[in-house]
Amino acid sequence: QVQLVESGGGSVQAGGSLRLSCAASEYTFSIYNMAWFRQAPGKEREAVARISTAGLKTDYVDAVKGRFTISRDNAKNTLYLQMNSLKPEDTAMYYCAAKYRPYSDSWDPAEYNYWGQGTQVAVSS
């Protein structure tokens, strides 16, 4: 069972940048399709971005396209989320997730098997 630990969250002003990391415990990290989700207070968890096992496929939700970049380093068992031009509406707890199901068009969080504990991002105006 893979364990995921996020880091890199913090407080920034609108327009600023943050880079989130998600460290995986297993050397088999490369077999998992990965994603970032976020959850703001009082709201449901929502998808942000996903990446295939080798990093060749990426997708983003419309709200973050052009501002966020998902990437991974399988040699370091680490997933990243570079967030630029941050907006107050990006404020949320950010979670990384892993699934061994095939890469697909679905953003359903139920498809993901393992989750980290989250890292908080706060963007002030």
Side-chain angles (χ1 to χ4, degrees), residues 32-92:
Y32 296 99
N33 291 297
M34 301 294 296
W36 287 97
F37 289 80
R38 65 186 181 186
Q39 188 167 17
K43 295 187 177 181
E44 293 187 354
R45 189 169 297 190
E46 63 176 4
V48 175
R50 63 187 176 215
I51 188 167
S52 60
T53 54
L56 298 180
K57 299 178 183 178
T58 58
D59 289 290
Y60 301 88
V61 296
D62 288 344
V64 307
K65 279 182 181 177
R67 300 189 298 121
F68 290 12
T69 302
I70 188 171
S71 63
R72 66 191 297 165
D73 186 338
N74 287 342
K76 295 183 178 180
N77 294 343
T78 304
L79 175 73
Y80 302 100
L81 185 68
Q82 178 67 45
M83 305 187 296
N84 298 328
S85 302
L86 282 161
K87 303 176 181 180
E89 51 263 44
D90 295 318
T91 294

Side-chain angles (χ1 to χ4, degrees), residues 10-16 86-91 121-125:
S11 297
V12 296
Q13 290 189 329
L86 282 161
K87 303 176 181 180
E89 51 263 44
D90 295 318
T91 294
V121 171
V123 184
S124 58
S125 58

